[in-house]
Amino acid sequence: MAVKNHTLVTEFILLGIPHTEGQVTVLFVVFLIFYLFTLLGNLLILLTVMSDSCLHTPMYFFLCNLSVLDIGFSSVSTPKMLANLLVRNQVISLGGCISQVFFYHFLGCSESWLYTVMAYDRFAAICHPLHYTIIMNHRVCALLAAGTWIISSFHAIILTTLTFQLPYCGSNEVDYFFCDIFPVVKLACGNTLIIETVSFTNIGLVPMICFLLILASYIRIIIAILKMHSAEGRRKAASTCVSHLLVVTLFFGPCALVYTQPSLSEVLVTPVQIFANVVTPMLNPTIYTLRNKDVKGALKKLAGSQFVSKGDH
């Protein structure tokens, strides 16, 4: 058998978003605005919760975790995508590509589990209000948050290792706007069956398990709300869940479309993925702020204290 002399790939070229000729400047401005609002909104949530002792509860502790994840998740692909649009710098090093794959799946998996933990928190608060502070004590909250990060890191390490232990010795052009498993694996010159099987199983299984656990929590919550005698109690309990349900839908909706519809055309996959990477992390703090009286009140207090401190100077 003849041995072919291949040059191993040390960098990749991201071909970017397809069919964007003549729209580069508009896309750059739009994505930059979304990214800046994502950073500003999520940092504001973190600052507001940390500055107000009334918000030092499990619900807002997990919301802070979500803000950190949203900042990280949008930062995996957006800065590089902006660089590609602005200066047409489409080259990404092998290390940069490995980092994008790892952090994309680490943060994405962490968000899936965190939404599940947040649903459990709402279940404990509404279905077991008298024992809530015992069920969701500081130690339990810390363990649940740490658990989401640790499980997700193993998930991402396995997927990243399987992806980049394959030999890359042919074309180095990634037909996508960032390094994700399936666009990168297409370029491998080894057998990709194992990574493709493990990826489809893992990426499909994690959101499915999380979604079913969230669904189970909300079935119990709905039953508990319907049993409440007070209309005010029902309204208050339901309102605390609406924000969470909205962000869960925004997160799992694109995920379900991309990974459960293999026949979804390439024209649709990219916009759906961009929505998940760029738009959803920006909408999360907006949804939680607009629908939450406690957060709005804390924001006003924070703004008021800043105004007073400036007046003193």
Side-chain angles (χ1 to χ4, degrees):
M1 189 183 290
V3 178
K4 292 183 180 179
N5 186 19
H6 288 300
T7 304
L8 293 176
V9 170
T10 57
E11 61 183 26
F12 292 95
I13 296 167
L14 298 171
L15 296 183
I17 306 165
H19 317 298
T20 55
E21 296 79 8
Q23 301 169 353
V24 171
T25 307
V26 175
L27 287 173
F28 174 79
V29 172
V30 170
F31 291 149
L32 180 62
I33 290 167
F34 276 131
Y35 185 56
L36 291 174
F37 271 106
T38 298
L39 296 179
L40 181 65
N42 284 292
L43 286 171
L44 199 57
I45 290 277
L46 286 168
L47 183 63
T48 304
V49 173
M50 286 190 288
S51 66
D52 193 328
S53 58
C54 295
L55 299 181
H56 293 178
T57 62
M59 178 179 169
Y60 296 108
F61 169 70
F62 295 127
L63 180 57
C64 283
N65 274 264
L66 180 62
S67 289
V68 171
L69 288 173
D70 278 335
I71 290 169
F73 195 64
S74 63
S75 298
V76 170
S77 59
T78 309
K80 183 62 184 171
M81 183 169 66
L82 290 170
N84 290 356
L85 290 168
L86 183 65
V87 295
R88 308 306 292 172
N89 177 22
Q90 295 172 295
V91 175
I92 185 168
S93 67
L94 179 61
C97 196
I98 291 169
S99 297
Q100 279 198 336
V101 170
F102 173 80
F103 284 106
Y104 182 74
H105 290 279
F106 167 61
L107 295 166
C109 184
S110 296
E111 262 195 60
S112 293
W113 286 113
L114 185 63
Y115 285 131
T116 311
V117 168
M118 291 170 86
Y120 175 72
D121 173 63
R122 293 299 82 212
F123 158 75
I126 292 166
C127 298
H128 302 284
L130 299 177
H131 301 100
Y132 176 65
T133 52
I134 299 167
I135 296 169
M136 299 300 290
N137 60 55
H138 291 303
R139 185 169 174 272
V140 169
C141 289
L143 285 171
L144 286 170
T148 64
W149 295 79
I150 292 164
I151 291 168
S152 302
S153 65
F154 283 120
H155 167 84
I157 287 167
I158 291 166
L159 292 178
T160 308
T161 304
L162 287 172
T163 300
F164 290 98
Q165 73 176 7
L166 292 166
Y168 291 90
C169 45
S171 170
N172 68 338
E173 294 187 345
V174 179
D175 191 15
Y176 214 40
F177 63 95
F178 76 105
C179 286
D180 197 7
I181 291 170
F182 298 116
V184 170
V185 162
K186 283 180 184 176
L187 307 177
C189 30
N191 187 349
T192 62
L193 180 63
I194 292 172
I195 178 59
E196 285 177 355
T197 306
V198 171
S199 296
F200 264 118
T201 305
N202 276 25
I203 296 167
L205 200 60
V206 170
M208 182 59 71
I209 290 169
C210 292
F211 180 75
L212 290 173
L213 289 171
I214 291 167
L215 188 65
S217 294
Y218 272 99
I219 288 169
R220 292 289 302 275
I221 287 168
I222 290 164
I223 292 167
I225 289 172
L226 292 173
K227 285 181 179 178
M228 289 178 182
H229 299 295
S230 163
E232 177 63 21
R234 282 200 298 269
R235 188 198 61 76
K236 193 175 179 182
S239 69
T240 62
C241 299
V242 170
S243 299
H244 183 248
L245 280 171
L246 278 171
V247 295
V248 164
T249 306
L250 285 171
F251 180 80
F252 286 103
C255 190
L257 273 175
V258 171
Y259 293 109
T260 64
Q261 300 292 324
S263 59
L264 194 69
S265 72
E266 289 180 11
V267 178
L268 284 174
V269 166
T270 305
V272 167
Q273 196 85 60
I274 289 171
F275 181 85
N277 292 16
V278 179
V279 182
T280 301
M282 184 205 70
L283 290 176
N284 286 352
T286 311
I287 290 165
Y288 272 103
T289 306
L290 292 176
R291 293 202 55 85
N292 193 301
K293 287 180 182 177
D294 293 336
V295 175
K296 282 194 282 189
L299 274 170
K300 284 176 185 174
K301 274 166 61 178
L302 184 66
S305 65
Q306 292 296 317
F307 181 76
V308 169
S309 64
K310 282 182 182 179
D312 292 339
H313 290 297

